[in-house]
PDB file of all heavy atoms in Angstrom:
ATOM      1  N   SER A 150     -63.795 -12.658  -6.528  1.00  0.00           N
ATOM      2  CA  SER A 150     -62.408 -12.140  -6.672  1.00  0.00           C
ATOM      3  C   SER A 150     -61.614 -12.457  -5.427  1.00  0.00           C
ATOM      4  O   SER A 150     -60.470 -12.912  -5.484  1.00  0.00           O
ATOM      5  CB  SER A 150     -62.440 -10.615  -6.878  1.00  0.00           C
ATOM      6  OG  SER A 150     -63.507 -10.194  -7.650  1.00  0.00           O
ATOM      7  N   VAL A 151     -62.235 -12.229  -4.250  1.00  0.00           N
ATOM      8  CA  VAL A 151     -61.545 -12.492  -2.982  1.00  0.00           C
ATOM      9  C   VAL A 151     -61.300 -13.976  -2.804  1.00  0.00           C
ATOM     10  O   VAL A 151     -60.221 -14.396  -2.398  1.00  0.00           O
ATOM     11  CB  VAL A 151     -62.342 -11.926  -1.796  1.00  0.00           C
ATOM     12  CG1 VAL A 151     -61.650 -12.226  -0.463  1.00  0.00           C
ATOM     13  CG2 VAL A 151     -62.548 -10.400  -1.938  1.00  0.00           C
ATOM     14  N   SER A 152     -62.267 -14.795  -3.168  1.00  0.00           N
ATOM     15  CA  SER A 152     -62.108 -16.229  -2.958  1.00  0.00           C
ATOM     16  C   SER A 152     -60.881 -16.747  -3.799  1.00  0.00           C
ATOM     17  O   SER A 152     -60.156 -17.598  -3.365  1.00  0.00           O
ATOM     18  CB  SER A 152     -63.377 -17.008  -3.303  1.00  0.00           C
ATOM     19  OG  SER A 152     -63.601 -17.021  -4.675  1.00  0.00           O
ATOM     20  N   GLU A 153     -60.728 -16.163  -4.991  1.00  0.00           N
ATOM     21  CA  GLU A 153     -59.560 -16.592  -5.796  1.00  0.00           C
ATOM     22  C   GLU A 153     -58.257 -16.164  -5.111  1.00  0.00           C
ATOM     23  O   GLU A 153     -57.271 -16.909  -5.086  1.00  0.00           O
ATOM     24  CB  GLU A 153     -59.637 -15.937  -7.209  1.00  0.00           C
ATOM     25  CG  GLU A 153     -60.793 -16.450  -8.033  1.00  0.00           C
ATOM     26  CD  GLU A 153     -60.802 -15.876  -9.449  1.00  0.00           C
ATOM     27  OE1 GLU A 153     -59.861 -15.090  -9.811  1.00  0.00           O
ATOM     28  OE2 GLU A 153     -61.721 -16.171 -10.216  1.00  0.00           O
ATOM     29  N   HIS A 154     -58.274 -15.011  -4.512  1.00  0.00           N
ATOM     30  CA  HIS A 154     -57.070 -14.503  -3.798  1.00  0.00           C
ATOM     31  C   HIS A 154     -56.768 -15.407  -2.592  1.00  0.00           C
ATOM     32  O   HIS A 154     -55.598 -15.688  -2.322  1.00  0.00           O
ATOM     33  CB  HIS A 154     -57.360 -13.086  -3.341  1.00  0.00           C
ATOM     34  CG  HIS A 154     -56.169 -12.216  -3.122  1.00  0.00           C
ATOM     35  ND1 HIS A 154     -55.515 -11.552  -4.124  1.00  0.00           N
ATOM     36  CD2 HIS A 154     -55.487 -11.873  -1.985  1.00  0.00           C
ATOM     37  CE1 HIS A 154     -54.498 -10.823  -3.665  1.00  0.00           C
ATOM     38  NE2 HIS A 154     -54.446 -11.022  -2.349  1.00  0.00           N
ATOM     39  N   VAL A 155     -57.806 -15.867  -1.914  1.00  0.00           N
ATOM     40  CA  VAL A 155     -57.632 -16.719  -0.719  1.00  0.00           C
ATOM     41  C   VAL A 155     -56.940 -18.008  -1.151  1.00  0.00           C
ATOM     42  O   VAL A 155     -55.967 -18.458  -0.537  1.00  0.00           O
ATOM     43  CB  VAL A 155     -58.969 -17.016  -0.041  1.00  0.00           C
ATOM     44  CG1 VAL A 155     -58.805 -18.086   1.064  1.00  0.00           C
ATOM     45  CG2 VAL A 155     -59.588 -15.759   0.532  1.00  0.00           C
ATOM     46  N   VAL A 156     -57.443 -18.615  -2.240  1.00  0.00           N
ATOM     47  CA  VAL A 156     -56.849 -19.877  -2.710  1.00  0.00           C
ATOM     48  C   VAL A 156     -55.390 -19.632  -3.101  1.00  0.00           C
ATOM     49  O   VAL A 156     -54.486 -20.424  -2.756  1.00  0.00           O
ATOM     50  CB  VAL A 156     -57.662 -20.433  -3.887  1.00  0.00           C
ATOM     51  CG1 VAL A 156     -56.982 -21.651  -4.510  1.00  0.00           C
ATOM     52  CG2 VAL A 156     -59.077 -20.833  -3.447  1.00  0.00           C
ATOM     53  N   MET A 157     -55.131 -18.541  -3.785  1.00  0.00           N
ATOM     54  CA  MET A 157     -53.744 -18.210  -4.163  1.00  0.00           C
ATOM     55  C   MET A 157     -52.883 -18.097  -2.931  1.00  0.00           C
ATOM     56  O   MET A 157     -51.756 -18.627  -2.908  1.00  0.00           O
ATOM     57  CB  MET A 157     -53.754 -16.866  -4.933  1.00  0.00           C
ATOM     58  CG  MET A 157     -52.366 -16.354  -5.250  1.00  0.00           C
ATOM     59  SD  MET A 157     -52.439 -14.723  -6.021  1.00  0.00           S
ATOM     60  CE  MET A 157     -52.635 -13.648  -4.589  1.00  0.00           C
ATOM     61  N   MET A 158     -53.383 -17.429  -1.898  1.00  0.00           N
ATOM     62  CA  MET A 158     -52.559 -17.223  -0.697  1.00  0.00           C
ATOM     63  C   MET A 158     -52.340 -18.527   0.079  1.00  0.00           C
ATOM     64  O   MET A 158     -51.249 -18.740   0.631  1.00  0.00           O
ATOM     65  CB  MET A 158     -53.204 -16.175   0.210  1.00  0.00           C
ATOM     66  CG  MET A 158     -53.037 -14.782  -0.411  1.00  0.00           C
ATOM     67  SD  MET A 158     -53.674 -13.474   0.634  1.00  0.00           S
ATOM     68  CE  MET A 158     -52.520 -12.183   0.203  1.00  0.00           C
ATOM     69  N   ILE A 159     -53.339 -19.375   0.137  1.00  0.00           N
ATOM     70  CA  ILE A 159     -53.140 -20.665   0.823  1.00  0.00           C
ATOM     71  C   ILE A 159     -52.046 -21.456   0.100  1.00  0.00           C
ATOM     72  O   ILE A 159     -51.087 -21.975   0.725  1.00  0.00           O
ATOM     73  CB  ILE A 159     -54.487 -21.466   0.857  1.00  0.00           C
ATOM     74  CG1 ILE A 159     -55.462 -20.765   1.795  1.00  0.00           C
ATOM     75  CG2 ILE A 159     -54.220 -22.904   1.311  1.00  0.00           C
ATOM     76  CD1 ILE A 159     -56.875 -21.351   1.818  1.00  0.00           C
ATOM     77  N   LEU A 160     -52.135 -21.552  -1.198  1.00  0.00           N
ATOM     78  CA  LEU A 160     -51.123 -22.282  -1.976  1.00  0.00           C
ATOM     79  C   LEU A 160     -49.767 -21.631  -1.838  1.00  0.00           C
ATOM     80  O   LEU A 160     -48.749 -22.307  -1.673  1.00  0.00           O
ATOM     81  CB  LEU A 160     -51.553 -22.383  -3.451  1.00  0.00           C
ATOM     82  CG  LEU A 160     -52.746 -23.257  -3.735  1.00  0.00           C
ATOM     83  CD1 LEU A 160     -53.184 -23.094  -5.176  1.00  0.00           C
ATOM     84  CD2 LEU A 160     -52.455 -24.730  -3.442  1.00  0.00           C
ATOM     85  N   ALA A 161     -49.742 -20.294  -1.875  1.00  0.00           N
ATOM     86  CA  ALA A 161     -48.446 -19.600  -1.802  1.00  0.00           C
ATOM     87  C   ALA A 161     -47.753 -19.859  -0.443  1.00  0.00           C
ATOM     88  O   ALA A 161     -46.564 -20.130  -0.418  1.00  0.00           O
ATOM     89  CB  ALA A 161     -48.680 -18.106  -1.980  1.00  0.00           C
TER      90      ALA A 161
END
Side-chain angles (χ1 to χ4, degrees):
S150 322
V151 178
S152 73
E153 292 185 2
H154 205 83
V155 172
V156 173
M157 174 184 81
M158 287 183 148
I159 291 174
L160 291 171

